[in-house]
Amino acid sequence: MKIGFIGLGNMGAPMAANLTKDHDIIGFDTVAKPADITMAGSAIEAAKDADVVITMLPNGSILRSVAAEIHPAMKPGAIHLDCSTVDVESARAVAAQAETRGLKAVDAPVSGGIGGAQAGTLTFMAGGPGDALADVKPLFDIMGQKAVHCGPAGNGQAAKICNNMILGVTMIATCEAFALADKLGLDRQAMFDVVSTSSGYSWTMNAYCPAPGIGPQSPADNDYQPGFAAELMLKDLNLSQMAAAAADADTPMGQAATALYRQFVEDEGGAGKDFSAMLPRFESRRRG
Ligand code: NAD
């Protein structure tokens, strides 16, 4: 396939590099110039002859402006595959705009981080028409290990932010429970041994334990270097709260987690640390 790839940052560059083995890739980025990708001089140039244009951009407003620029230049029937994490409304607006121009749109945000992008083991959560999904499946197979069709346009983003809202809330619960256990004189290894095999178990406890030296290897064992940075968790929690407001959904735990990560990132030095660094934060605090 001829593929235009727009947004070649931390995630986009390794995803595009994996595709170059089997496909003809032309990239565009306003800043990044990865040496292993053939680059175009503009987004339009990268998009105009492509069967599929993949975007991997920072947010919904940039996605909307890039889509407005490239859609008129794309071939009829071509697919716009957006893998960025953006608000549900932007994903749906871009898909509707694509449809009016005779294009197909798929929103397919990812989980798996930079490591997953490099290794080609991302998980895609995809929204859009089934025929377009089928067309891009060979690309998901190269860039990832799993793709779930979540329904029509925007549903990939909906799945991603619901998952990450659970993740943020659960990480906070795991960290505050460790800090409480410390103060109660409960050994962290004993806490892990009980919780990881009891009803409080979770991915954050069992697979990504925030306590250094406990459980499998995780960013806690590497001085909380990300991993999944606290500011990216805050981005996703903010998106969950935008969606909750738009859909009139009551999400008190998501709201509390958003406020806590905002405080951590903006006022408490959490930016640049893994999102599990909530544990040392709680350790150093007292009941307010
Ligand atoms: P990044 O900031 O490293 O990359 C974004 C790239 O987009 C940059 O190179 C930037 O120059 C480029 N860009 C910005 N505006 C542009 C424009 N108008 N035209 C062309 N290029 C433009 O970000 P990233 O870490 O690669 O993340 C990309 C997306 O993936 C985000 O939506 C993020 O939330 C999501 N995501 C990131 C991770 C992660 O671990 N980094 C994990 C899952 C999802």
Side-chain angles (χ1 to χ4, degrees), residues 102-136:
L103 305 169
K104 297 183 211 168
V106 175
D107 58 291
V110 302
S111 73
I114 298 166
Q118 287 165 342
T121 55
L122 295 168
T123 294
F124 291 86
M125 294 150 260
D131 61 333
L133 260 291
D135 290 345
V136 295

Side-chain angles (χ1 to χ4, degrees), residues 71 74-80 95-105:
H71 285 183
M74 286 170 68
K75 291 195 301 192
I79 299 173
H80 178 181
Q97 179 194 299
E99 207 175 320
T100 62
R101 295 202 171 265
L103 305 169
K104 297 183 211 168

Side-chain angles (χ1 to χ4, degrees), residues 221-277:
D221 301 307
N222 189 26
D223 202 23
Y224 297 100
Q225 297 302 307
F228 184 46
E231 58 268 34
L232 288 178
M233 173 49 81
L234 176 60
K235 173 188 172 177
D236 293 356
L237 285 167
N238 278 329
L239 292 176
S240 78
Q241 294 312 292
M242 278 170 71
D248 196 19
D250 188 20
T251 57
M253 302 300 286
Q255 204 172 355
T258 308
L260 263 170
Y261 272 105
R262 183 174 304 120
Q263 190 179 330
F264 184 52
V265 167
E266 293 178 1
D267 305 328
E268 297 173 348
K273 294 192 178 146
D274 189 72
F275 83 120
S276 61

Side-chain angles (χ1 to χ4, degrees), residues 6-12 28-32 43 56-59 62 65-66 69 83-86 110-114 160 227-228 232 235-236:
I6 300 173
L8 295 158
N10 290 320
M11 295 291 290
F28 177 71
D29 191 296
T30 43
V31 178
M56 194 55 172
L57 296 163
N59 59 48
I62 293 176
S65 76
V66 169
E69 194 185 344
C83 297
S84 328
T85 303
V86 303
V110 302
S111 73
I114 298 166
K160 163 102 188 176
F228 184 46
L232 288 178
K235 173 188 172 177
D236 293 356

Side-chain angles (χ1 to χ4, degrees), residues 50-63:
D51 304 305
V52 178
V53 177
I54 302 177
T55 45
M56 194 55 172
L57 296 163
N59 59 48
S61 65
I62 293 176
L63 170 67

